Protein backbone atom coordinates (compact mmCIF):
# COMPACT_ATOMS: atom_id res chain seq x y z
CA UNK A 1 0.00 0.00 0.00
CA UNK A 2 1.23 3.47 -0.88
CA UNK A 3 -0.10 6.46 1.03
CA UNK A 4 0.73 10.10 1.61
CA UNK A 5 3.02 10.66 4.57
CA UNK A 6 1.59 12.29 7.69
CA UNK A 7 3.32 14.27 10.45
CA UNK A 8 3.35 11.07 12.53
CA UNK A 9 5.64 9.51 9.88
CA UNK A 10 8.43 12.05 10.34
CA UNK A 11 10.47 9.92 12.80
CA UNK A 12 10.44 6.88 10.48
CA UNK A 13 11.17 9.05 7.43
CA UNK A 14 14.11 10.57 9.30
CA UNK A 15 15.36 7.09 10.23
CA UNK A 16 15.08 5.89 6.62
CA UNK A 17 16.89 9.01 5.32
CA UNK A 18 19.75 8.04 7.62
CA UNK A 19 19.58 4.40 6.48
CA UNK A 20 19.76 5.56 2.86
CA UNK A 21 22.70 7.85 3.62
CA UNK A 22 24.51 4.94 5.26
CA UNK A 23 23.80 2.72 2.23
CA UNK A 24 25.18 5.47 -0.01
CA UNK A 25 28.31 5.67 2.18
CA UNK A 26 27.56 9.26 3.19
CA UNK A 27 25.98 9.08 6.65
CA UNK A 28 28.23 11.93 7.78
CA UNK A 29 26.45 14.20 5.27
CA UNK A 30 22.91 13.43 6.53
CA UNK A 31 22.46 16.36 8.91
CA UNK A 32 18.71 17.03 8.57
CA UNK A 33 16.79 16.87 11.83
CA UNK A 34 13.29 15.54 12.35
CA UNK A 35 12.11 19.10 12.92
CA UNK A 36 13.58 20.24 9.60
CA UNK A 37 11.83 17.38 7.81
CA UNK A 38 8.57 18.14 9.61
CA UNK A 39 8.75 21.79 8.53
CA UNK A 40 9.70 20.92 4.94
CA UNK A 41 6.90 18.37 4.58
CA UNK A 42 4.13 19.80 6.75
CA UNK A 43 4.98 23.41 7.54
CA UNK A 44 3.06 26.47 6.46
CA UNK A 45 4.62 26.32 2.99
CA UNK A 46 5.65 22.71 2.27
CA UNK A 47 8.78 22.42 0.14
CA UNK A 48 8.58 18.67 -0.35
CA UNK A 49 6.18 15.76 -0.23
CA UNK A 50 6.52 12.15 0.83
CA UNK A 51 4.80 8.84 0.22
CA UNK A 52 5.04 5.83 2.46
CA UNK A 53 5.04 2.19 1.34
CA UNK A 54 3.46 -0.09 3.93
CA UNK A 55 3.19 -3.84 4.24
CA UNK A 56 -0.21 -5.46 4.71
CA UNK A 57 0.33 -5.42 8.47
CA UNK A 58 1.15 -1.69 8.54
CA UNK A 59 4.95 -1.91 8.76
CA UNK A 60 6.76 0.87 6.89
CA UNK A 61 8.69 -0.75 4.04
CA UNK A 62 10.01 2.38 2.35
CA UNK A 63 9.38 5.93 1.24
CA UNK A 64 9.69 8.40 -1.60
CA UNK A 65 10.43 12.08 -0.94
CA UNK A 66 9.96 14.51 -3.82
CA UNK A 67 9.40 18.10 -4.84
CA UNK A 68 8.24 19.98 -7.90
CA UNK A 69 10.64 21.27 -10.50
CA UNK A 70 9.88 23.22 -13.67
CA UNK A 71 10.95 22.77 -17.27
CA UNK A 72 11.30 25.95 -19.29
CA UNK A 73 11.46 23.79 -22.41
CA UNK A 74 8.23 21.96 -21.68
CA UNK A 75 6.54 24.85 -19.89
CA UNK A 76 5.20 22.65 -17.08
CA UNK A 77 6.14 21.26 -13.71
CA UNK A 78 7.73 17.89 -13.18
CA UNK A 79 8.64 15.84 -10.15
CA UNK A 80 12.17 15.54 -8.85
CA UNK A 81 12.53 12.43 -6.72
CA UNK A 82 15.03 13.29 -3.98
CA UNK A 83 14.93 9.96 -2.16
CA UNK A 84 13.54 6.54 -2.96
CA UNK A 85 14.31 3.96 -0.32
CA UNK A 86 13.04 0.50 0.48
CA UNK A 87 14.36 -1.16 3.60
CA UNK A 88 16.66 -4.11 2.79
CA UNK A 89 14.34 -6.78 4.23
CA UNK A 90 11.54 -5.53 1.96
CA UNK A 91 13.47 -5.18 -1.31
CA UNK A 92 12.14 -7.25 -4.17
CA UNK A 93 8.58 -7.01 -2.87
CA UNK A 94 7.41 -4.42 -5.38
CA UNK A 95 7.50 -1.45 -3.01
CA UNK A 96 9.99 0.59 -5.02
CA UNK A 97 8.03 0.10 -8.21
CA UNK A 98 4.78 0.98 -6.42
CA UNK A 99 6.31 4.20 -5.05
CA UNK A 100 7.56 5.21 -8.51
CA UNK A 101 4.20 4.30 -10.05
CA UNK A 102 2.44 6.57 -7.55
CA UNK A 103 4.66 9.48 -8.62
CA UNK A 104 4.13 8.65 -12.30
CA UNK A 105 0.35 8.75 -11.69
CA UNK A 106 0.68 12.21 -10.13
CA UNK A 107 2.59 13.35 -13.20
CA UNK A 108 -0.02 11.95 -15.58
CA UNK A 109 -2.98 13.31 -13.57
CA UNK A 110 -1.50 16.81 -13.20
CA UNK A 111 0.00 17.13 -16.67
CA UNK A 112 3.60 17.05 -15.46
CA UNK A 113 5.90 15.83 -18.21
CA UNK A 114 8.98 14.64 -16.30
CA UNK A 115 9.83 12.40 -13.38
CA UNK A 116 13.53 12.72 -12.70
CA UNK A 117 16.06 11.57 -10.12
CA UNK A 118 19.76 10.89 -9.69
CA UNK A 119 21.46 7.62 -8.88
CA UNK A 120 25.04 6.99 -7.83
CA UNK A 121 27.19 5.52 -10.61
CA UNK A 122 28.18 2.50 -8.49
CA UNK A 123 24.61 1.58 -7.50
CA UNK A 124 24.11 -1.14 -10.10
CA UNK A 125 21.07 -2.79 -8.43
CA UNK A 126 19.17 0.51 -8.58
CA UNK A 127 20.37 1.31 -12.09
CA UNK A 128 19.20 -2.11 -13.29
CA UNK A 129 15.85 -1.60 -11.55
CA UNK A 130 15.32 1.83 -13.14
CA UNK A 131 16.29 0.61 -16.61
CA UNK A 132 13.85 -2.29 -16.29
CA UNK A 133 11.09 0.29 -15.74
CA UNK A 134 12.08 2.12 -18.93
CA UNK A 135 13.99 4.99 -17.31
CA UNK A 136 16.83 6.39 -19.39
CA UNK A 137 20.07 7.84 -18.01
CA UNK A 138 20.82 11.42 -18.98
CA UNK A 139 24.48 10.83 -19.76
CA UNK A 140 24.94 14.14 -21.54
CA UNK A 141 24.29 16.11 -18.31
CA UNK A 142 26.61 16.47 -15.33
CA UNK A 143 25.21 17.53 -11.97
CA UNK A 144 27.01 20.38 -10.21
CA UNK A 145 26.59 21.39 -6.60
CA UNK A 146 27.68 24.28 -4.40
CA UNK A 147 27.71 23.63 -0.65
CA UNK A 148 29.39 24.73 2.52
CA UNK A 149 32.36 27.06 2.01
CA UNK A 150 32.03 27.41 -1.76
CA UNK A 151 28.35 28.33 -1.43
CA UNK A 152 29.07 30.82 1.36
CA UNK A 153 31.90 32.38 -0.61
CA UNK A 154 29.86 32.85 -3.77
CA UNK A 155 26.82 34.04 -1.82
CA UNK A 156 28.90 36.56 0.06
CA UNK A 157 30.31 38.23 -3.05
Amino acid sequence: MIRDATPADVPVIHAMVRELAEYEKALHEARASEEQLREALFGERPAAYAHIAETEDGEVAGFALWFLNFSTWRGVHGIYLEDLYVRPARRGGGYGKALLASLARICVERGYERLEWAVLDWNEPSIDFYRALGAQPQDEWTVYRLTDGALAKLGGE
Side-chain angles (χ1 to χ4, degrees), residues 96-154:
K97 183 176 182 180
L99 285 162
L100 282 172
S102 71
L103 298 183
R105 272 191 297 282
I106 290 171
C107 288
V108 170
E109 290 168 1
R110 298 183 187 177
Y112 302 162
E113 295 189 13
R114 290 182 179 166
L115 172 55
E116 298 178 313
W117 62 92
V119 61
L120 291 165
D121 292 338
W122 57 261
N123 192 346
E124 287 297 327
S126 293
I127 291 168
D128 293 344
F129 168 67
Y130 298 142
R131 285 182 188 257
L133 295 175
Q136 299 296 313
Q138 300 298 295
D139 294 334
E140 68 273 13
W141 293 89
T142 300
V143 175
Y144 283 84
R145 178 180 297 159
L146 280 171
T147 62
D148 303 325
L151 179 63
K153 181 180 176 187
L154 182 61

Side-chain angles (χ1 to χ4, degrees), residues 15-89:
M16 288 187 293
V17 166
R18 296 191 55 78
E19 291 170 25
L20 175 59
E22 185 171 24
Y23 173 76
E24 292 183 349
K25 303 172 184 147
L27 183 57
H28 62 284
E29 295 181 37
R31 300 186 308 220
S33 68
E34 285 185 27
E35 187 52 42
Q36 287 173 309
L37 288 175
R38 184 173 285 102
E39 182 64 26
L41 294 168
F42 305 106
E44 187 175 319
R45 297 185 71 179
Y49 308 91
H51 290 162
I52 300 292
E54 285 184 331
T55 65
E56 289 182 8
D57 62 356
E59 177 189 340
V60 174
F63 80 110
L65 193 144
W66 57 277
F67 55 88
L68 294 179
N69 58 17
F70 184 80
S71 170
T72 56
W73 291 14
R74 300 271 179 126
V76 296
H77 282 293
I79 287 179
Y80 186 84
L81 175 61
E82 179 66 19
D83 288 337
L84 176 68
Y85 180 72
V86 175
R87 289 186 151 153

